[in-house]
Amino acid sequence: GNSVTQMEGPVTLSEEAFLTINCTYTATGYPSLFWYVQYPGEGLQLLLKATKADDKGSNKGFEATYRKETTSFHLEKGSVQVSDSAVYFCALYAGNNRKLIWGLGTSLAVNP
Amino acid sequence: GAGVSQSPSNKVTEKGKDVELRCDPISGHTALYWYRQRLGQGLEFLIYFQGNSAPDKSGLPSDRFSAERTGESVSTLTIQRTQQEDSAVYLCASSLAPGSNTGELFFGEGSRLTVL
């Protein structure tokens, strides 16, 4: 069945450090891939997405590339800020069951 | 409204009581989802509504949990005879019909339930 595996947290970085949060998936067919973010005290919101292989999603300085050959969708940011402290969720949508399949979330704390 | 609205934002109840949580989706969104998020854990799918189709209840953890939605409007999640393990944030999300998008969900801010 479909599944998402993302790196466990918590991740703690200093401001301006490089961020990578790994996400790999298992799916039949050609899923769409998402990163959602949950800031403290707020609801989940879409950060970026990619709908086909080799697509790169980007938003707020974050990027993720849909790699079909490695079944991965790793989240990266070149220089994190304190305001990026949040929980990040990787998810896939395969369409056949009409539900998003979620990773467990990775907590990121950025220190000044 | 402009976004998904959930109420109450916080609910503290005693074990054994019933609770109702409400979700008002984005206008025009035919799909509505309920998720549960326990402290420090990922999202647990509960139930999915799509238009007038029969809901997908496969994620409801027990028969104490039920949900209703009238047409494409408000949904209510009911938990009967609450237990301490029901304590969690209950998230509602809505989206356009699955055939017309690629799965992007819009979430409310959640209802935090604490069962004493």
Side-chain angles (χ1 to χ4, degrees):
Chain A
N2 299 332
S3 67
V4 173
T5 303
Q6 62 180 104
M7 65 185 280
E8 293 185 18
V11 174
T12 303
L13 296 174
S14 298
E15 207 165 21
E16 300 183 4
F18 184 86
L19 168 71
T20 299
I21 300 178
N22 290 339
C23 172
T24 57
Y25 68 90
T26 302
T28 55
Y30 302 93
S32 297
L33 300 171
F34 301 82
W35 278 100
Y36 280 80
V37 59
Q38 188 174 30
Y39 297 105
E42 297 185 19
L44 275 157
Q45 56 187 277
L46 179 67
L47 179 61
L48 53 85
K49 66 180 181 181
T51 59
K52 60 184 188 296
D54 300 326
D55 268 3
K56 177 185 285 188
S58 62
N59 186 25
K60 299 182 180 181
F62 290 88
E63 292 183 342
T65 301
Y66 187 157
R67 302 283 189 200
K68 188 165 175 61
E69 63 276 14
T70 54
T71 61
S72 65
F73 192 55
H74 304 322
L75 183 68
E76 297 182 335
K77 186 173 185 181
S79 176
V80 293
Q81 305 300 311
V82 173
S83 58
D84 295 325
S85 298
V87 181
Y88 293 82
F89 292 89
C90 185
L92 74 82
Y93 179 78
N96 53 349
N97 63 1
R98 302 178 180 177
K99 294 193 293 260
L100 278 171
I101 308 299
W102 295 88
L104 293 180
T106 303
S107 176
L108 170 66
V110 180
N111 298 320
Chain B
V4 177
S5 177
Q6 291 188 246
S7 61
S9 55
N10 271 289
K11 176 72 176 178
V12 179
T13 191
E14 294 180 348
K15 178 181 172 180
K17 301 285 189 183
D18 297 352
V19 296
E20 278 192 357
L21 308 176
R22 175 188 166 103
C23 174
D24 197 350
I26 293 173
S27 178
H29 281 191
T30 59
L32 186 147
Y33 304 76
W34 283 98
Y35 288 90
R36 179 167 68 178
Q37 186 178 27
R38 289 194 167 114
L39 186 64
Q41 299 187 20
L43 274 70
E44 178 185 0
F45 167 77
L46 296 178
I47 189 168
Y48 162 70
F49 295 91
Q50 171 53 45
N52 293 318
S53 301
D56 177 351
K57 304 180 181 180
S58 60
L60 294 179
S62 77
D63 59 7
R64 296 187 295 105
F65 288 73
S66 63
E68 293 183 349
R69 186 185 188 196
T70 304
E72 297 179 358
S73 60
V74 170
S75 175
T76 302
L77 176 69
T78 301
I79 309 172
Q80 294 179 310
R81 305 181 302 282
T82 52
Q83 304 295 310
Q84 288 183 331
E85 63 261 28
D86 299 335
S87 296
V89 176
Y90 289 83
L91 294 169
C92 177
S94 70
S95 73
L96 294 168
S100 62
N101 72 40
T102 55
E104 179 177 351
L105 301 187
F106 295 80
F107 283 84
E109 293 188 3
S111 293
R112 181 177 299 278
L113 174 65
T114 303
V115 182
L116 302 177

